[in-house]
Amino acid sequence: MNGIGDWIRELVLACERMCELGALEGTAGNISLFLPSDTPDLDEWVVGEMGSARPFDPPSGLVLPPGVLIISGTGRRLRDIATSPESVLCALVMTNDAGCSVHCSPDTRVEPTSEIDSHVAIHADALGGVPGVHTVLHAQPPKLSWLSHIAAYREMARLNRQLLRWQPETIVTFPEGIGVLPFETPGTPAQGTGTAAALRTHRLVVWAKHGIVARSPHGPQAAADLIDYAEAAAGYEVMDILAGRRADGLTLDEMRAVARRFGVPDALLQTLPEGVLAAGE
């Protein structure tokens, strides 16, 4: 089982990749990682690095299973995790009796991200009361975020038809497609509940005119990989728009063949429009 040191390194690598994509400008973006209580060296890290503690009420009355939710702080740069994790991260410690306290370094007094509603709602929904590793990552990859400002790309079927066509790997990575949510004021309970619901059936969801949220039970790097794949697809789409929509991309039949070859469901492909957007659309 990975220890806390391994998980901190994963957080660093995930955030470094998001920075390489230009998806974490300034203090934008946030990340959280739920770990079971028996994670090696977790208790020592909470006590030693996050020594300052106070009671905390999770938003919207949501309850997480026993364990620790490591979460980035409001107004903190995710790129600083590499050199000073205690200046970026704090920890919500959940006990067996549903008690909760927030722990942070006494030198930095980190407060959880303003979008904690979304993080806690997603973790609570995904874990269903059973402790396990689970990551939520919000970033603002520029190409995908820009596409979400175009009305057509705020329609889920259209977004998926346009993006899944660029690489065979994309339908394998997202056989259920990429979810899309309308713009919601950041940091609100409505944003949290809507995102948690959408992530029940998707691994990645676009927040229209805001950014993207990915979740993974396989750790921070796996969540970052999902955003990496989606932003690569958006990059091809932006190139095609700039070129006057000259490329065909994969047809639905070609994507179905890929899905069959790799044994992933293709039900999504039955719901997508046959044609792609033409020049001027």
Side-chain angles (χ1 to χ4, degrees), residues 17-34:
R17 182 57 187 146
M18 293 300 99
C19 286
E20 291 168 356
L21 292 179
L24 294 178
E25 68 276 12
T27 60
N30 34 73
I31 193 168
S32 62
L33 170 63
F34 188 90

Side-chain angles (χ1 to χ4, degrees), residues 21 83 89 107 194 198 270 278 281:
L21 292 179
T83 56
L89 303 172
D107 298 326
Q270 314 306 322
E281 291 185 289

